[in-house]
Amino acid sequence: MFPRLPKITQTLLIANVALFLLQQLPQTTGIFNLLVLWPLGSQEAFLDSPGFEPWQLLTYGFLHGGFGHLFFNMLALFMFGAPLEMTWGEKRFLTYYMVCVVGAGVCQLVVASLFGEFNPVLGASGGVFGLLLAFGMLFPNQRVMLLFPPIPMKARTFVIVFGAIELLLGFTGWQPGVAHFAHLGGMLFGWLLIRYWRGQPPFNKRGPHLRRVK
């Protein structure tokens, strides 16, 4: 379908779009209600909530709340996923993406518990922000273009700007209804995994055969 896209990036794009289309069917509402990420304690707050289940830490990352939500996440997956997969290979790329999705979900659960939030979360943004972080680390001088406003900047700067914006919006609550700390969680877990692969603090690997990887 997309001959120039590597296999895992292509599969993730198709899976997200296919599930979004299924979400639009009225008869699937109950099923997808079990797949979004419900905060701990949500069953007591909402009588119709199925409550948190472990599988939701993965499944929520393949669901979206609207076409715009889907479009921008898939655009970012297309832009940043393909070069990362071609650099890392299929297995490492898929591992990284899934760790970012799950890590973002874990951070969201922690923050929701601290602030007493019980609304469900969905979207690939945690994984996408992890890809953004990785792209900035692997290709720091590569120029990327913002959509709004259309300003070109280095990937490293792009990551710093987006991370700072997410942190600001998360603490101020200026953009309610968006899981900003899940975005930051995806970046955090992505950063930790890359540091682990590279044998960098806090994951120092000792031994004579240490090899640096991207």
Side-chain angles (χ1 to χ4, degrees):
M1 184 176 180
F2 304 110
R4 294 186 179 181
L5 280 179
K7 181 179 178 181
I8 301 301
T9 302
Q10 182 180 147
T11 301
L12 289 173
L13 287 168
I14 294 172
N16 277 274
V17 172
L19 286 172
F20 178 74
L21 294 175
L22 287 175
Q23 280 180 261
Q24 311 314 304
L25 302 176
Q27 57 267 38
T28 63
T29 301
I31 297 174
F32 286 110
N33 199 39
L34 295 170
L35 302 181
V36 298
L37 180 62
W38 287 94
L40 304 174
S42 58
Q43 210 164 12
E44 290 75 24
F46 300 110
L47 295 178
D48 60 343
S49 165
F52 169 75
E53 297 290 349
W55 64 74
Q56 296 169 1
L57 286 169
L58 185 61
T59 57
Y60 86 99
F62 290 86
L63 309 176
H64 290 84
F67 178 75
H69 190 202
L70 174 74
F71 174 79
F72 285 106
N73 275 340
M74 294 304 98
L75 178 62
L77 176 57
F78 172 82
M79 290 175 57
F80 303 118
L84 288 171
E85 184 178 350
M86 287 187 284
T87 300
W88 278 335
E90 295 176 4
K91 183 177 179 180
R92 177 162 289 199
F93 173 73
L94 181 60
T95 298
Y96 179 86
Y97 184 81
M98 293 306 180
V99 166
C100 290
V101 169
V102 173
V106 169
C107 288
Q108 178 61 27
L109 289 179
V110 172
V111 171
S113 297
L114 291 175
F115 289 96
E117 298 176 0
F118 300 106
N119 292 311
V121 173
L122 75 171
S125 301
V128 165
F129 270 78
L131 296 182
L132 172 61
L133 183 281
F135 190 87
M137 292 181 69
L138 271 63
F139 312 106
N141 297 315
Q142 180 73 38
R143 289 199 168 271
V144 295
M145 177 75 78
L146 291 173
L147 289 180
F148 305 106
I151 301 173
M153 62 180 68
K154 289 185 177 180
R156 182 195 292 114
T157 306
F158 188 74
V159 170
I160 293 172
V161 168
F162 262 73
I165 290 174
E166 288 299 311
L167 192 61
L168 176 65
L169 292 176
F171 278 109
T172 60
W174 288 345
Q175 193 180 23
V178 178
H180 297 289
F181 287 104
H183 300 171
L184 292 169
M187 298 178 82
L188 172 63
F189 274 74
W191 179 78
L192 288 172
L193 184 55
I194 291 175
R195 301 283 290 185
Y196 172 75
W197 283 338
R198 290 178 172 180
Q200 295 174 329
F203 307 105
N204 286 325
K205 295 179 181 178
R206 301 181 182 277
H209 302 297
L210 181 64
R211 182 171 63 92
R212 180 181 175 88
V213 298
K214 285 191 173 184

